[in-house]
Amino acid sequence: MDIMKIKQLIENGKAILGIELGSTRIKAVLIGEDHAPIASGDHTWENQLVNGVWTYSLSAVWAGIQEAYANMVKDVQEKYQVQLTALRAMGVSAMMHGYLPFDEEGNQICEFRTWRNTMTEEAAAELTELLRFNIPQRWSIAHLYQAMLKKEAHLPRLHHLTTLAGYVHWQLTGEKVLGVGEASGMFPIDSETGNYDQRMMDLFDEKAAEKGYAFKLQDILPRVASAGEDAGMLTEQGAKLLDPAGNLKPGALMAPPEGDAGTGMTATNSVAARTGNVSAGTSIFAMIVLEKSLSKVYPEIDMVTTPTGKPVAMVHCNNCTNDINAWAGIMKGFAEAAGLHTSMNDIYTAIFQSAMDGEKDCGGFVNINYLSGEPVTGLAEGRPMLLRTPDARVTFQNFARSLLSGAVASLKIGMDILEKEQVQIDSLLGHGGYFKTKGTGQNILAAALNTPVTVMETAGEGGPWGMALLAAYRANRNGETLEEYLNEKVFAAASGATAQPDAEDVQGFNAYTARFTQCLPAQKAAAEMK
């Protein structure tokens, strides 16, 4: 779209907004009628470890959202010399799942417990056995049940339980609703009904009653909505929350709120069977849309859904680029101490590009990037470690390659299960910061999974753009499925670069993974040190 058409679109209140609250950044992306981004704004934030709990305060949530929105509005003004006052539609997504409980008056009754926490091992194991369905530690129901096991004082006041995306949507609209993809990380979904699994809900309610709790899941969990369905409208109060300056009018159509997994699937057009995507940033996860159920329950594999309720096998790892970031910071400090002037972007580029010149198996280096616990490998706590054998070839290139390989090694361990299950994948798309340097992380992941990996030109837009697409589908849906809408109206002319797995790279990564696995007992022992 040309600038005059975009300006007119904004003035007529026809632009569509997607907001995503990621682990380290909150971003707002505005799109036009052709679904391409026309403006954006963001805010950087970090979780806090408070009394042993990874959390964000709700005041930080709103401060971040408002700054991201204000920066997006500023971007609109600078590019098009027009004030944004109305939206046709919008949607909110956020980091997946976690635990946000409220009382009958809408007061928060304990801290927000994020996906990063690994405090629910006992609850997850008991629920997996009870429901005969894998319940990961980060799921809302695992947090709820762990609180029940500990008889936490806030539970008698529990009236509503939601996720971060659900909370923000509720405040903007007054509607307690979740998109089905995000809801599938609160409690298992029956893909036949597109709603919470009733048999499993009954089993949980019986267990809760045995422990003296009167609440029913049906009463405390948000309503479930599929992509394109009505999830309310932006209220006057919600508009003021989003834009304290008071310029934004209420009335925008609201898409069902989703998690970052659902928006990642949407942003990579990976919502049809036999498609998949890998989101790699602070955490890393692969989402594979299944043709049929797996043969049994695997604790390493989460069963969730697409934004329309199709079954998805998810391998989620808590740790990905955090140790790359830490070492990049050290290198920046060295450069400054040496009187060298270089940017963080230059340092990241040097790490990623140098890794391509490292030995295929990293030459005896092993990087275990566990800042927090990693359920896929059965570790409750993390201690980032860099190890090397006495005969390791100590080069910057091997060190760099170990950082990139360590970032995806745990994902490979989980994905190997799907390979044994003979899950078919026609296309696997990568998105997130790990893929920013062209032809580097993409090649490492292709070797790790022995699968072609495509990075599309739009991959850098990520989750907030995916949420904006879901909002556009909510506003424009005309009987077509989400798959049809994305194929025909969004990605028809999309292009990308595909990395094919190289046989030597695959062999080298397998050797690296074997060494990585052998080092996990050392990681466990280190984590036991307080």
Side-chain angles (χ1 to χ4, degrees):
M1 295 177 67
D2 62 39
I3 289 181
M4 289 307 298
K5 286 184 178 179
I6 293 173
K7 181 177 180 179
Q8 186 177 24
L9 177 91
I10 295 170
E11 288 178 327
N12 292 339
K14 300 296 185 181
I16 293 174
L17 176 65
I19 296 177
E20 183 157 285
L21 293 89
S23 300
T24 60
R25 187 173 67 154
I26 300 172
K27 187 173 182 181
V29 170
L30 197 69
I31 66 173
E33 291 178 336
D34 61 355
H35 303 95
I38 55 178
S40 66
D42 64 5
H43 166 80
T44 300
W45 69 340
E46 281 287 348
N47 55 190
Q48 303 295 318
L49 187 62
V50 180
N51 297 323
V53 178
W54 291 106
T55 189
Y56 302 82
S57 69
L58 296 189
S59 60
V61 168
W62 289 112
I65 289 174
Q66 289 165 0
E67 181 173 329
Y69 180 84
N71 287 336
M72 183 272 295
V73 168
K74 182 179 179 182
D75 193 32
V76 167
Q77 292 171 329
E78 291 177 350
K79 286 179 176 175
Y80 312 111
Q81 291 76 53
V82 64
Q83 175 66 53
L84 179 66
T85 60
L87 297 164
R88 184 178 180 207
M90 68 169 290
V92 176
S93 62
M95 63 191 86
M96 60 188 75
H97 322 326
Y99 185 71
L100 256 177
F102 297 87
D103 65 16
E104 191 169 0
E105 285 73 42
N107 301 308
Q108 185 182 9
I109 55 177
C110 88
E111 72 283 331
F112 170 38
R113 299 171 183 176
T114 76
W115 59 270
R116 172 164 273 170
N117 291 287
T118 51
M119 62 180 66
T120 62
E121 184 177 5
E122 181 184 6
E126 285 195 23
L127 288 176
T128 296
E129 182 177 356
L130 173 69
L131 305 179
R132 300 192 300 279
F133 189 98
N134 181 41
I135 303 296
Q137 288 198 50
R138 69 183 179 279
W139 281 22
S140 306
I141 198 64
H143 281 282
L144 173 59
Y145 193 63
Q146 190 69 43
M148 291 163 58
L149 292 176
K150 294 172 64 179
K151 296 180 169 46
E152 293 195 30
H154 71 271
L155 286 179
R157 298 163 54 202
L158 177 62
H159 185 263
H160 176 55
L161 177 62
T162 191
T163 67
L164 183 56
Y167 163 73
V168 174
H169 183 94
W170 169 33
Q171 299 303 301
L172 295 179
T173 67
E175 298 283 341
K176 297 174 181 177
V177 60
L178 276 185
V180 62
E182 174 75 335
S184 69
M186 291 200 80
F187 194 83
I189 294 290
D190 179 350
S191 287
E192 294 297 319
T193 66
N195 211 327
Y196 303 116
D197 188 290
Q198 189 61 54
R199 179 190 67 83
M200 297 186 195
M201 291 185 79
D202 292 342
L203 287 170
F204 185 93
D205 288 344
E206 290 173 11
K207 183 66 70 172
E210 290 175 10
K211 295 184 178 298
Y213 295 103
F215 56 73
K216 303 287 187 182
L217 286 183
Q218 193 67 53
D219 298 328
I220 66 171
L221 296 182
R223 172 174 66 88
V224 179
S226 185
E229 293 182 354
D230 181 13
M233 300 176 72
L234 181 66
T235 63
E236 184 174 348
Q237 179 183 355
K240 290 178 180 177
L241 263 177
L242 191 58
D243 179 25
N247 295 311
L248 182 62
K249 299 174 184 177
L253 297 174
M254 296 292 294
E258 271 294 348
D260 49 5
T263 58
M265 283 187 275
T266 304
T268 56
N269 195 20
S270 304
V271 296
R274 296 169 65 112
T275 64
N277 79 95
V278 174
S279 174
T282 305
S283 64
I284 184 169
F285 54 84
M287 311 282 293
I288 311 300
V289 187
L290 301 179
E291 294 179 286
K292 61 180 181 179
S293 300
L294 302 180
S295 65
K296 63 178 182 178
V297 173
Y298 293 96
E300 302 90 349
I301 308 294
D302 307 350
M303 291 304 303
V304 292
T305 78
T306 68
T308 56
K310 287 185 171 62
V312 173
M314 178 182 193
V315 179
H316 178 276
C317 303
N318 286 348
N319 304 278
C320 184
T321 59
N322 45 269
D323 218 33
I324 298 174
N325 298 338
W327 283 104
I330 289 176
M331 293 174 200
K332 183 71 161 62
F334 168 78
E336 291 173 351
L340 304 174
H341 300 288
T342 187
S343 68
M344 287 301 296
N345 185 62
D346 289 338
I347 290 171
Y348 281 119
T349 300
I351 292 172
F352 276 75
Q353 290 183 342
S354 296
M356 297 300 99
D357 296 323
E359 296 176 57
K360 308 296 186 182
D361 65 352
C362 303
F365 276 95
V366 175
N367 172 247
I368 300 179
N369 63 334
Y370 292 179
L371 182 65
S372 60
E374 193 55 80
V376 166
T377 52
L379 295 173
E381 291 188 52
R383 298 291 187 273
M385 300 174 67
L386 180 69
L387 303 98
R388 59 185 174 91
T389 59
D391 61 346
R393 274 74 69 194
V394 183
T395 67
F396 179 66
Q397 290 82 1
N398 283 343
F399 163 69
R401 195 174 184 99
S402 76
L403 293 182
L404 269 65
S405 298
V408 300
S410 298
L411 181 74
K412 173 184 171 53
I413 291 170
M415 287 291 286
D416 282 348
I417 295 171
L418 296 184
E419 183 179 359
K420 292 174 184 175
E421 281 273 346
Q422 298 183 326
V423 171
Q424 299 298 310
I425 306 172
D426 290 340
S427 62
L428 189 64
L429 291 99
H431 60 108
Y434 183 79
F435 302 105
K436 185 175 180 180
T437 304
K438 187 176 180 180
T440 56
Q442 181 182 7
N443 290 72
I444 294 288
L445 185 64
L449 304 184
N450 195 18
T451 300
V453 176
T454 299
V455 175
M456 302 174 70
E457 291 179 356
T458 54
E461 306 298 344
W465 182 59
M467 191 65 242
L469 296 182
L470 289 172
Y473 179 59
R474 164 75 181 92
N476 301 326
R477 184 183 184 187
N478 189 25
E480 71 269 64
T481 66
L482 178 61
E483 294 91 325
E484 291 169 340
Y485 185 87
L486 294 176
N487 284 330
E488 297 168 11
K489 297 185 178 179
V490 180
F491 293 99
S495 60
T498 300
Q500 298 290 337
D502 174 82
E504 291 185 5
D505 285 349
V506 172
Q507 184 178 2
F509 202 99
N510 286 339
Y512 177 85
T513 304
R515 190 174 289 128
F516 182 96
T517 304
Q518 290 171 346
C519 292
L520 289 177
Q523 168 70 192
K524 183 177 181 181
E528 291 170 354
M529 297 173 61
K530 301 299 181 183

